[in-house]
Amino acid sequence: MFTLSVATFRERWQLFVGAILTVTLGVAIVQSSLLIVASAGGYGEAIAILGLALGVSAFLAAFIVSSTFAFTIAQRRRDLALLRLIGGSRGQIRRLLLSEALLLGVLGTLLGIPAGQIVLSAQTALLENLGFLPGSFSAAWHGWILWVSLGLGIGVAQAGVLAASRRASRVRPLEALRETGAGAKVMTVSRWILGILLVIVGLTLMLVSTAVSNPNGAIPLSINAMVALALGLSALSPVIVPLIGRLTGTLAGRGTIGRLARANLRDGVRRNSSTAAPLLILVALLIGLAGTFDTLSEGAHHQLTDNVRGDLVAAGPIAPLTPGVATASTEYALTIKVTSVNQGDTETDDFPALAIDPAAYQQAHQLPLIAGSYADLHGLTVAAAGGKLGSTVRIHVGGQDLNPRVVAVLPPALNGSPEYLLPRDLVPPPALGPAQSIVRLQPGADPAAVARSLPQPVLTLDEWIAQSDSAQDSLNAGVMKVVMGLAALYAVIGVVNAVVIAAGERRREFAVARLTGFTRNQVIGTALLESAVVTVTGLLLGWLSAMAALIGISGVAGTMVIPWGAFWLTALGAFLVVGATSVWTSRSATRATPISLAGTRE
Amino acid sequence: MSMLQTQAGTAVELRDVVREYGSRQARVRALDGVGIGFARGTWTAVMGPSGSGKSTLLHCAAGLERPTSGQVLLGDRDLATASERDLTELRRRDIGFVFQSFNLVSSLTAEQNVALPLRLAGSKVSMKDVRAILTGVGLGDRLRHRPRELSGGQQQRVAIARAMITRPAVLFADEPTGALDSAAARTVLGLLRSMVDEAQQTIVMVTHDPAAAASADSVVFLRDGRIVDRLVRPSVREVADRLAALEA
């Protein structure tokens, strides 16, 4: 069986190029990210970004490999039926495909391990550039990573082929005798069930997420809602693509090309959904993630503008009785360790906190409390975001362990806002971090004159809000650059692969169209039109899935931002890539004279 | 007919086989109560106009399609009710196929293609046997060639060698000369003839070509899913006339 796998592999390597590249990329990125994470203990932001990259990468690799495999197996139905015809059992067909996947996984891994070292230096440089890692950073090599890479590469390939091989093993021997290699029904019962189930799960998660008041809960929920919806819609895409084809096809006109394109969209369902699927996932991930970040920072911005009352913000404590100053809330930023006990597991994490003067803080921040009151915030007490009133928390600050009581519950913290407020006298002075004071002026005082007497630099409130926005935005932008680049790379591999495989399959169909009187350009035009409709479908469904994430997160953020700029950029890129690949492949598929192709079957 | 049956009993027998396609509204009866036995060591050609049910007959006889009703007996087994596993076993040991479109695995050499059924069956592969059988079909010098490096006639001879390597009880052939020029077709028919004469191979062959049918021991004519006529050792002329009469 293995000989046959090797032989098939040699013969049909074009079908596997996309999957091999995908495994290579997946192995390279996961390996490099893990090596950096293993060495970057202290750099939380870098670890967070890489964690996201790791997840996205492994997910996309598995997705692209499995959709490529499903597609190539559909194309080889006739070959597989032939094996059944001459005595191959179902188990043998499965073993054949699984050993092909093994071969592919090993090959992808062997390429991926050295590629990982290149990705490592690129990732390190990028993270240093974005300021998440120090310039001197260098990830140490670990031997165990080879096993992780090998396991991942082979695992992704095997997982990708599992479902498709089960399906392939049910091919009937008689199908070897059919004229066309066209596969059986695309929409099987199990595919319907899976698709509908995932859509329901997606929508449910979205609704649950809108009701969650804590961003730490709402973000993963809404991202999961998006992923479930995207997978569900891509499972259902064989039904949706022709539907949208009919809608948009009507716009394409009643001309001959439009008619043929519409008919082909109805006919080549598997081909079209294989092309639409990676686009769908790309758009869902990009728009969903970018939109989540934008929505959260917009929400944080609203929290600041709505709640902070003041005129100036000074970078230090304000001396009492400074002329022109009505009230000033001096806030010291610090990081505290909080130990939480969760079903017997103790977990200690770092949290951003502020040491404040409760009375002054209340004047400067009109953020309504969920429970409790600032008035009680003195002595061994704390205000916590999302805690329980009256409970005690274990914190470690300035070298001492404390068990303060929660006397006030803050609304959930959006990007960067403090999770804990401590009364100033609770914190030993050496532990206090940099201070800033939100200053309210006396009526009639000259802001410029007062500002000169305060600790520099002094910003107006608007400037200060703008500054905290941009700090947050640059972190988000860094994350997006890393993740977007990744997702786009995978999607390009997936889409180009699907279009190339599809065009190979269509040589004969194109030839027949030309023999019936279509010119070569009309055939190419039809293919282009079809690919445009498929692109629109992929973009639309991806956008819908992304909306699940945005609606989910809007509950906690109190607002919603749809990143149209990123969407249109992706759309433009998708049309260019799909269009160019489609024209290129259909040109090369129609280069030979039609009559020489119409007769050949293999 | 009686002469054929006295030889050694039947290899395959269809008893009152009905095969229907489609659902209630658009029901088509491709085989309408066919009963026929194919005697061991004989070569039978099945002919008929397009849509007469001859391919369906071949598929049912070979266990590729299940009849709607009736029995298909190969030895003491009924293919109509056999399990998928049994049918796979059967294809490994007792049944060989040759098709119009050769159906070779394009990534494998002639040698590997011929050895494939043995490998699938998990039996020990003797390369000596493989080479002998390829030499027997006149391809001793083409062992390492891939299908695309061979002519149509050569590919069909590889396919015959592949079907014969397991020494099947019955060889089913569907238009084996349909894609060949007349010289190549003659070679292939001569090969099949010698297998029947020298090794007592049973062959059931569907064909359109009166010349191919005339190489067989007997010719069965089908129309509208029923056997309507039978000729023993006919000439090409007789076959052509009978076929023309059926199609008229």
Side-chain angles (χ1 to χ4, degrees):
Chain A
M1 216 75 249
F2 198 68
T3 332
L4 187 56
S5 296
V6 175
T8 316
F9 213 82
R10 257 205 319 257
E11 170 91 359
R12 300 220 169 203
W13 59 271
Q14 312 93 308
L15 287 181
F16 299 104
V17 171
I20 293 178
L21 276 181
T22 309
V23 172
T24 303
L25 193 64
V27 167
I29 289 166
V30 169
Q31 174 182 311
S32 131
S33 302
L34 279 177
L35 283 176
I36 298 180
V37 167
S39 303
Y43 306 100
E45 286 169 337
I47 291 178
I49 293 176
L50 291 174
L52 197 57
L54 235 146
V56 166
S57 186
F59 169 73
L60 283 176
F63 181 81
I64 303 268
V65 168
S66 77
S67 72
T68 312
F69 251 112
F71 192 31
T72 56
I73 285 173
Q75 293 226 303
R76 292 168 49 202
R77 252 187 121 67
R78 204 161 157 259
D79 291 3
L80 298 173
L82 173 63
L83 288 181
R84 294 279 285 123
L85 194 61
I86 59 175
S89 67
R90 289 185 171 169
Q92 282 173 324
I93 301 286
R94 293 198 67 174
R95 280 202 292 286
L96 170 72
L97 296 171
L98 286 171
S99 52
E100 274 176 26
L102 179 70
L103 216 59
L104 180 150
V106 170
L107 216 62
T109 310
L110 289 183
L111 292 172
I113 290 173
Q117 291 308 96
I118 302 169
V119 172
L120 181 66
S121 55
Q123 258 184 340
T124 311
L126 183 63
L127 290 171
E128 283 169 3
N129 245 332
L130 295 169
F132 299 126
L133 286 176
S136 58
F137 183 85
S138 141
W141 172 257
H142 295 278
W144 50 260
I145 198 77
L146 289 177
W147 297 107
V148 175
S149 295
L150 197 64
L152 182 91
I154 293 172
V156 161
Q158 294 287 314
V161 78
L162 217 55
S165 76
R166 190 171 312 134
R167 227 169 111 71
S169 68
R170 290 204 203 105
V171 63
R172 294 174 56 229
L174 199 55
E175 289 181 49
L177 305 182
R178 301 262 150 79
E179 257 304 303
T180 59
K185 273 198 312 188
V186 180
M187 285 308 293
T188 53
V189 175
S190 56
R191 188 165 184 163
W192 270 108
I193 294 175
L194 184 75
I196 292 173
L197 221 59
L198 280 169
V199 168
I200 293 174
V201 167
L203 293 177
T204 314
L205 284 176
M206 179 186 91
L207 289 178
V208 171
S209 156
T210 52
V212 171
S213 60
N214 187 331
N216 291 333
I219 294 174
L221 269 177
S222 54
I223 299 283
N224 282 330
M226 169 189 85
V227 171
L229 197 60
L231 289 178
L233 287 177
S234 75
L236 295 178
S237 65
V239 191
I240 305 172
V241 172
L243 217 68
I244 295 187
R246 206 173 306 162
L247 292 178
T248 48
T250 320
L251 301 180
R254 304 220 152 272
T256 327
I257 296 187
R259 264 174 213 280
L260 182 62
R262 220 164 26 241
N264 287 344
L265 284 168
R266 217 168 26 239
D267 195 45
V269 167
R270 182 182 294 278
R271 173 177 71 231
N272 294 325
S273 52
S274 300
T275 316
L279 273 180
L280 189 163
I281 299 289
L282 169 73
V283 173
L285 277 178
L286 287 190
I287 307 307
L289 290 179
T292 302
F293 286 127
D294 288 359
T295 300
L296 284 174
S297 29
E298 180 74 14
H301 177 83
H302 280 305
Q303 254 186 14
L304 288 179
T305 50
D306 290 355
N307 301 326
V308 177
R309 295 280 176 273
D311 302 297
L312 300 173
V313 179
I318 309 290
L321 302 173
T322 305
V325 173
T327 58
S329 168
T330 300
E331 303 158 4
Y332 298 86
L334 64 160
T335 304
I336 59 172
K337 288 193 188 305
V338 179
T339 305
S340 59
V341 180
N342 214 339
Q343 288 158 1
D345 288 336
T346 53
E347 203 184 311
T348 304
D349 281 312
D350 286 340
F351 282 98
L354 289 179
I356 56 157
D357 169 17
Y361 188 84
Q362 202 174 356
Q363 300 251 317
H365 300 267
Q366 314 251 307
L367 193 60
L369 290 175
I370 289 176
S373 111
Y374 285 118
D376 298 332
L377 195 59
H378 50 75
L380 194 59
T381 58
V382 68
K388 198 168 155 232
L389 197 68
S391 63
T392 56
V393 288
R394 274 163 65 187
I395 65 174
H396 181 88
V397 58
Q400 44 182 306
D401 289 306
L402 300 171
N403 288 305
R405 193 158 52 85
V406 177
V407 294
V409 178
L410 302 166
L414 290 176
N415 296 358
S417 50
E419 298 267 352
Y420 291 91
L421 298 178
L422 311 172
R424 231 200 85 181
D425 43 21
L426 192 67
V427 182
L432 292 173
Q436 66 180 7
S437 303
I438 295 169
V439 175
R440 208 188 286 193
L441 297 176
Q442 279 169 349
D446 173 21
V450 176
R452 276 194 291 278
S453 68
L454 300 177
Q456 299 299 320
V458 177
L459 302 172
T460 65
L461 189 69
D462 290 341
E463 285 168 349
W464 178 71
I465 288 174
Q467 199 185 50
S468 73
D469 282 353
S470 74
Q472 186 60 48
D473 287 349
S474 82
L475 173 64
N476 290 350
V479 173
M480 284 317 295
K481 264 184 214 157
V482 175
V483 176
M484 273 205 194
L486 260 181
L489 207 55
Y490 276 110
V492 167
I493 294 177
V495 170
V496 170
N497 194 41
V499 175
V500 169
I501 296 175
E505 166 201 52
R506 300 185 72 183
R507 270 167 197 282
R508 187 152 179 268
E509 180 196 326
F510 286 156
V512 171
R514 285 168 74 195
L515 286 178
T516 1
F518 280 81
T519 66
R520 188 176 171 198
N521 282 335
Q522 275 175 322
V523 169
I524 295 171
T526 312
L528 187 62
L529 192 61
E530 284 169 46
S531 66
V533 172
V534 172
T535 309
V536 167
T537 315
L539 292 173
L540 191 69
L541 296 183
W543 184 81
L544 276 178
S545 315
M547 288 308 290
L550 299 192
I551 293 173
I553 202 71
S554 68
V556 71
T559 176
M560 184 163 89
V561 185
I562 300 171
W564 287 113
F567 178 77
W568 291 122
L569 208 65
T570 317
L572 186 71
F575 276 111
L576 283 179
V577 169
V578 177
T581 319
S582 164
V583 168
W584 167 58
T585 51
S586 52
R587 273 185 66 86
S588 73
T590 50
R591 191 156 294 140
T593 56
I595 194 66
S596 66
L597 290 171
T600 60
R601 304 209 342 211
E602 252 83 20
Chain B
M1 173 139 184
S2 58
M3 172 200 81
L4 297 174
Q5 272 190 339
T6 51
Q7 274 187 344
T10 46
V12 193
E13 186 180 357
L14 278 70
R15 285 188 187 162
D16 199 23
V17 168
V18 173
R19 177 70 171 110
E20 291 178 329
Y21 293 108
S23 54
R24 201 161 296 164
Q25 245 91 64
R27 182 145 267 185
V28 178
R29 195 167 262 221
L31 290 183
D32 191 5
V34 169
I36 185 175
F38 298 100
R40 211 161 277 160
T42 65
W43 179 0
T44 311
V46 180
M47 295 199 88
S50 295
S52 59
K54 51 188 191 303
S55 287
T56 309
L57 187 147
L58 188 83
H59 294 161
C60 284
L64 292 175
E65 277 185 62
R66 279 183 206 283
T68 311
S69 68
Q71 287 178 302
V72 178
L73 301 173
L74 186 109
D76 52 355
R77 274 166 300 186
D78 184 1
L79 301 193
T81 55
S83 70
E84 189 53 45
R85 187 184 298 263
D86 288 344
L87 288 174
T88 301
E89 269 313 295
L90 221 66
R91 282 194 288 272
R92 283 182 181 171
R93 301 187 201 294
D94 302 325
I95 296 178
F97 295 103
V98 176
F99 304 104
Q100 177 176 6
S101 49
F102 321 139
N103 279 315
L104 298 174
V105 178
S106 59
S107 55
L108 298 180
T109 62
E111 236 175 14
Q112 289 170 324
N113 261 295
V114 172
L116 193 56
L118 294 177
R119 288 190 202 284
L120 288 171
S123 9
K124 214 167 152 288
V125 178
S126 148
M127 281 329 267
K128 217 178 83 202
D129 287 356
V130 169
R131 282 183 202 129
I133 204 158
L134 273 168
T135 311
V137 298
L139 292 173
D141 55 343
R142 293 280 189 278
L143 302 174
R144 300 281 159 82
H145 288 60
R146 281 172 214 282
R148 77 174 85 83
E149 299 157 346
L150 299 172
S151 72
Q154 290 171 332
Q155 287 187 54
Q156 192 60 300
R157 281 185 276 156
V158 175
I160 291 173
R162 181 181 66 190
M164 296 311 299
I165 189 83
T166 56
R167 312 214 165 279
V170 190
L171 174 67
F172 291 98
D174 193 351
E175 303 274 9
T177 56
L180 303 180
D181 62 69
S182 57
R186 263 198 304 281
T187 313
V188 165
L189 291 172
L191 195 60
L192 294 178
R193 185 71 253 169
S194 67
M195 280 159 38
V196 177
D197 292 344
E198 286 154 30
Q200 279 73 53
Q201 178 64 47
T202 311
I203 301 179
V204 179
M205 171 182 80
V206 162
T207 185
H208 256 109
D209 177 8
S215 313
D217 295 317
S218 66
V219 184
V220 171
F221 290 90
L222 240 69
R223 192 169 70 184
D224 300 331
R226 291 164 197 254
I227 295 177
V228 291
D229 205 351
R230 179 155 194 168
L231 295 176
V232 177
R233 293 221 174 262
S235 69
V236 178
R237 183 72 195 232
E238 279 175 296
V239 174
D241 287 348
R242 201 64 61 97
L243 194 63
L246 281 179
E247 281 175 345

